[in-house]
Amino acid sequence: MTALRPLTDADAAVIASWIDSGDALVLWSGKAAFTWPFDGGQLLAFRAADPARRLLVAPGPDGRPVGHVMLRPDGTPRSLRLGMVLVAPESRGRGHGEALVRAALDAAFAGPDVERVTLGVYAHNHGARRLYERLGFREEEVHAGSVQVGETWWTSVTMALTRPARLSG
């Protein structure tokens, strides 16, 4: 699972089916303002609302998505934001998440214009944080109480990877 292709309309329902709760929706999408219950139509509307967002899927051998990721401008020159990383439930725990993020980084750094990739991850998502650190991302900022989920405030962490750090890692 290293090739990425643009999200198709048919993919949206498949990806939406991987989200099994409101908490999982926030964990995946951050502050994207999706609502629970989540459906593919919300993902398609999200894509349509900003053509600069590149929603990408990693297809499995049968062509159906086994992973999803987004790349978008992050508001600073020469920088992209990585987000909405998700692996199909039946494919988790087998290295697909790392392959998906590596493929997204390959896409992000493919041209000479991008020097930095940022991402946001919730502090309690230890597995994701370990993966990002293993790939060279470094913590830049902690945002205490960035989103309320139920009665709990979640802290988010901004991480970044520069082109030189990626090449040296």
Side-chain angles (χ1 to χ4, degrees):
M1 180 185 75
T2 56
L4 297 177
R5 64 168 170 74
L7 174 92
T8 67
D9 290 0
D11 296 331
V14 174
I15 285 130
S17 75
W18 301 344
I19 306 294
D20 61 3
S21 69
D23 286 9
L25 180 60
V26 175
L27 190 66
W28 169 64
S29 66
K31 298 180 185 178
F34 294 128
T35 59
W36 183 255
F38 183 62
D39 62 47
Q42 291 182 62
L43 188 56
L44 295 175
F46 179 78
R47 179 186 65 185
D50 185 352
R53 293 179 184 134
R54 295 171 49 198
L55 276 65
L56 304 166
V57 298
D62 63 358
R64 287 177 48 90
V66 294
H68 175 274
V69 66
M70 177 188 66
L71 292 170
R72 66 167 174 81
D74 83 348
T76 57
R78 304 176 62 81
S79 186
L80 290 177
R81 183 85 167 180
L82 172 74
M84 300 174 79
V85 177
L86 187 63
V87 173
E90 66 275 6
S91 298
R92 293 177 187 158
R94 293 187 265 172
H96 292 304
E98 182 170 343
L100 177 64
V101 174
R102 284 185 185 279
L105 291 172
D106 288 346
F109 287 117
D113 295 342
V114 174
E115 286 296 321
R116 187 169 180 271
V117 174
T118 64
L119 60 81
V121 61
Y122 289 108
H124 66 278
N125 193 348
H126 302 293
R129 289 183 70 181
R130 280 192 303 272
L131 167 63
Y132 300 141
E133 288 168 355
R134 191 167 58 249
L135 294 176
F137 282 89
R138 296 296 170 247
E139 184 177 300
E140 286 194 335
E141 192 172 353
V142 174
H143 313 275
S146 67
V147 67
Q148 186 175 7
V149 181
E151 297 298 315
T152 306
W153 283 93
W154 289 3
T155 295
S156 65
V157 178
T158 298
M159 301 180 82
L161 174 67
T162 63
R163 182 183 295 271
R166 183 166 193 246
L167 295 174
S168 69

